[in-house]
Amino acid sequence: MSDAGSPSRRPERVLVDLAAMERMDLAPPPPARFAGKGSGRPRFMRARAAGSANLVTLIERAALVTIGRLAREGALVLCSYVEFEPPATDAERWRGTWRELVGDVPLTTIPPAIDRSMLGDDVFRGDAQAGALARLCAKLRHAEGGREVLPFDEPPASDESAPIRSAERFGQLAARVQGDRLAQLFHLWSAELADCRYWLTLDATLPEFVRERVQPGLSPGLRCEPVLPEQLLRLLGVTERDRLPGAGSSVVSLRPT
């Protein structure tokens, strides 16, 4: 295993939405089946594709089990914040969901890039109001310089993080984005400011979306990267994976042979 958890190395901070995992059923992957006539693809190709999808699912599951252990050992710092629903504290509510693989882990609370409660009583009345974050994002996206929507002074120029603290930063992130993705970019911006190097996600489309629609031309470059569980472990240099529950207590090495 890598030295990701060694005392001499600062643990990476990772943004994670455990409540979202609790809403995802942990159903077993469907068995690979041969396609019948008229499927449009050769039967062996469809069977191979189904088998590959099953394998990816198993790899991501083992990665989540490993991530949960690393968080409990202090090798990773998992972070959440007020824009995510609070995760359940009752393990019975995790049963049968992807959260079950992560288990009971410590969470560090980070502040949002902008607290909606600081923006007045207009369209943001009630923090829990549905769509409030989307409206905030739309307002930030069209702000010029950010001062008309930010109720606090920008940091001094000597602050190394100053370029990403202004609402202009969100405008950069969202320059080519509309719709539901805006809220995801607000999460990404908050993670940047909280020094989270990674955002752990189970949405396989998010890393590609950020890579293709957000990162090109971004200055300064993105400081938080959305990653799938297996990708996170590889980036951290972790070469072993814990076995899935019920498969024993040893680990599986992914080192090249």
Side-chain angles (χ1 to χ4, degrees):
M1 188 170 174
S2 80
D3 63 348
S6 66
S8 61
R9 181 172 177 178
R10 178 177 177 269
E12 293 287 4
R13 291 161 63 90
V14 179
L15 183 67
V16 61
D17 186 354
L18 292 180
M21 292 187 187
E22 294 166 7
R23 295 190 293 269
M24 300 174 60
D25 291 337
L26 188 60
R33 296 180 181 274
F34 285 97
K37 294 182 179 180
S39 64
R41 297 176 64 186
R43 286 182 291 178
F44 77 91
M45 290 181 62
R46 289 180 61 86
R48 180 181 298 173
S52 298
N54 293 349
L55 178 60
V56 169
T57 300
L58 291 174
I59 289 174
E60 298 296 356
R61 291 184 184 198
L64 279 178
V65 174
T66 307
I67 289 169
R69 176 179 58 80
L70 293 175
R72 287 186 290 274
E73 293 175 351
L76 287 177
V77 177
L78 299 185
C79 302
S80 187
Y81 79 139
V82 296
E83 294 298 347
F84 291 156
E85 294 178 26
T89 57
D90 182 2
E92 285 298 320
R93 290 175 55 184
W94 313 340
R95 196 172 302 280
T97 73
W98 281 82
R99 165 69 191 281
E100 184 176 4
L101 298 175
V102 182
D104 191 6
V105 290
L107 280 180
T108 295
T109 300
I110 64 172
I114 296 176
D115 188 338
R116 283 184 275 142
S117 66
M118 300 174 65
L119 297 180
D121 296 328
D122 52 3
V123 295
F124 309 114
R125 184 178 293 108
D127 282 350
Q129 183 179 352
L133 179 58
R135 289 192 294 275
L136 170 58
C137 291
K139 190 170 185 178
L140 289 173
R141 186 173 181 270
H142 295 96
E144 295 183 1
R147 288 190 178 275
E148 67 272 28
V149 297
L150 297 183
F152 44 82
D153 294 333
E154 293 186 20
S158 59
D159 184 347
E160 292 183 359
S161 64
I164 66 172
R165 290 189 179 279
S166 161
E168 292 181 74
R169 176 60 168 184
F170 185 80
Q172 291 177 349
L173 295 173
R176 294 179 294 275
V177 180
Q178 295 181 351
D180 295 340
R181 292 291 192 182
L182 288 176
Q184 292 179 320
L185 294 184
F186 186 88
H187 303 329
L188 198 60
W189 184 30
S190 296
E192 278 193 312
L193 290 172
D195 198 26
C196 291
R197 177 80 177 275
Y198 303 106
W199 175 11
L200 179 63
T201 179
L202 295 181
D203 179 359
T205 68
L206 182 58
E208 181 180 3
F209 162 77
V210 170
R211 184 170 58 252
E212 295 182 355
R213 299 291 299 277
V214 178
Q215 286 184 317
L218 189 65
S219 180
L222 195 63
R223 298 188 182 186
C224 179
E225 181 180 359
V227 291
L228 297 172
E230 174 62 20
Q231 184 186 7
L232 172 62
L233 293 180
R234 289 184 178 275
L235 288 170
L236 294 175
V238 179
T239 56
E240 295 175 346
R241 305 292 179 267
D242 293 33
R243 292 189 183 276
L244 291 169
S249 58
S250 60
V251 295
V252 177
S253 176
L254 295 186
R255 288 191 179 95
T257 57

